[in-house]
Amino acid sequence: MVEISVILPVYNSEDYLKECLESITNQTFKDIEIICIDDGSSDGSLGILNDFANADNRITVISQENMGVAKTRNNALELVNGNYVYFMDSDDCLDRNAFKKLHDNITSNDSDFCIMKAIFLNGDEEYKFPAFELEKEFGKVNFNNFTFTYKDIKTHVLNDLFAPWLKLYNAKFLKSSDDFTFPEIKSYSDAPFHVKTMLNASKISFVPEYLYHYREVDDSLVHSSSNTKNFFKLSDIIEDYLKANGFFDEFKEEFDAFKIVKLVYYMGFADSDTS
């Protein structure tokens, strides 16, 4: 058994895929497996994956017809052998010490998952994204010996970066509930997964460092007015879960804010599409 299983869905990512794979394979923490699933790419992504797999026996490449990122992640979860699970996006990259720092933290805290911070890349510009600035909330603590639950960071459950690539998960925790899968919707399947894991974790931990580099891609599904209609499906999934599990009253204000913020966000793309 390896320590960390990296899940990497790939779809038409040839422009940035080499940089992504190099940032994973060159980690200072070596005890990993890398499960790469090519989701029906029509560019050179599969060839790049195969080249890397031929050079590194930690890489497994699976090719499938296009199913979308949610289904791909769910399929990959059935294949992991690691004690911990990390979800990567194929046009992004990691700090070279990311896995070492995350692994040190999650093992010393015996937490269900560990959160880090992200730098956003837009062309030649980069900025530190103001999400999960938990050091401001908890003050001067030793985060390698400090855990918390959603009750301590309630505003982050429904109104922060939902992305799984900000977290290293304990595999036993992910396998403890059938709820911990990604709903098969076109975009933002991250959000229900984030909400469910946040609400059910008995111990969460945090590395107060910017270890992930997220590339803003203009043609991403996230940046699309079509998400306005898709958002209502997403909202219903989250609302149904909150109600079915007794969380809705506790999160009514946060849920209302979540709906308003996301609708305004998507309507902005709808306006730009028609301008």
Side-chain angles (χ1 to χ4, degrees):
M1 177 175 282
V2 297
E3 274 297 281
I4 298 176
S5 295
V6 182
I7 292 175
L8 181 67
V10 176
Y11 179 71
N12 289 348
S13 303
E14 65 177 359
D15 289 344
Y16 308 112
L17 185 56
K18 289 182 180 179
E19 183 181 4
C20 172
L21 288 165
E22 286 171 354
S23 80
I24 300 171
T25 57
N26 291 329
Q27 287 289 302
T28 56
F29 188 91
K30 303 297 184 183
D31 192 8
I32 64 175
E33 65 173 357
I34 309 162
I35 302 171
C36 303
I37 302 185
D38 181 75
D39 190 30
S41 294
S42 58
D43 64 359
S45 293
L46 182 57
I48 294 170
L49 291 175
N50 286 330
D51 287 344
F52 270 80
N54 289 334
D56 193 325
N57 61 13
R58 297 174 300 173
I59 299 175
T60 298
V61 177
I62 299 168
S63 180
Q64 65 184 30
E65 294 182 1
N66 183 257
M67 298 181 182
V69 67
K71 178 68 171 176
T72 300
R73 285 172 174 164
N74 290 337
N75 288 345
L77 275 172
E78 300 295 322
L79 304 174
V80 299
N81 298 298
N83 291 315
Y84 302 95
V85 177
Y86 182 73
F87 298 95
M88 184 81 183
D89 276 7
S90 59
D91 44 12
D92 301 336
C93 56
L94 286 161
D95 182 275
R96 192 165 180 263
N97 294 309
F99 287 164
K100 174 69 165 60
K101 292 178 178 180
L102 291 167
H103 186 265
D104 284 350
N105 181 285
I106 200 170
T107 53
S108 66
N109 284 306
D110 191 27
S111 55
D112 293 321
F113 62 87
C114 174
I115 304 169
M116 61 178 160
K117 301 167 73 173
I119 291 175
F120 274 35
L121 308 175
N122 190 332
D124 294 330
E125 298 182 0
E126 65 177 46
Y127 61 95
K128 294 177 179 178
F129 196 78
F132 289 113
E133 296 179 306
L134 302 183
E135 69 274 32
K136 294 180 180 180
E137 299 183 35
F138 292 122
K140 293 183 179 180
V141 299
N142 177 8
F143 282 105
N144 279 326
N145 187 29
F146 182 80
T147 62
F148 47 93
T149 70
Y150 81 86
K151 292 181 181 293
D152 301 302
I153 55 167
K154 189 180 174 189
T155 58
H156 298 274
V157 175
L158 280 162
N159 293 289
D160 213 323
L161 274 180
F162 302 114
W165 38 255
L166 275 181
K167 301 122 184 168
L168 177 66
Y169 295 90
N170 189 313
K172 288 182 179 178
F173 171 67
L174 290 186
K175 294 174 182 178
S176 68
S177 172
D178 292 337
D179 285 328
F180 299 156
T181 57
F182 296 87
E184 294 174 20
I185 52 180
K186 287 186 177 180
S187 60
Y188 265 106
S189 60
D190 298 356
F193 183 84
H194 166 88
V195 171
K196 293 174 183 180
T197 52
M198 285 281 280
L199 293 176
N200 285 279
S202 59
K203 289 196 290 184
I204 304 170
S205 59
F206 175 60
V207 174
E209 296 186 50
Y210 295 90
L211 301 176
Y212 193 87
H213 299 259
Y214 172 82
R215 193 183 310 276
E216 295 185 290
V217 181
D218 289 338
D219 61 355
S220 168
L221 265 176
V222 173
H223 301 140
S224 170
S225 61
S226 64
N227 273 327
T228 306
K229 183 180 294 184
N230 189 63
F231 170 74
F232 291 106
K233 296 179 182 178
L234 165 66
S235 179
D236 287 344
I237 290 170
I238 293 176
E239 182 174 358
D240 289 346
Y241 182 81
L242 293 175
K243 287 180 175 178
N245 292 275
F247 291 111
F248 188 76
D249 290 343
E250 183 180 0
F251 282 92
K252 188 177 187 310
E253 290 184 7
E254 288 82 3
F255 183 65
D256 288 343
F258 163 78
K259 290 191 292 184
I260 293 169
V261 169
K262 291 303 178 186
L263 279 174
V264 169
Y265 178 76
Y266 292 141
M267 290 307 294
F269 288 114
D271 290 343
S272 65
D273 288 347
T274 57
S275 61

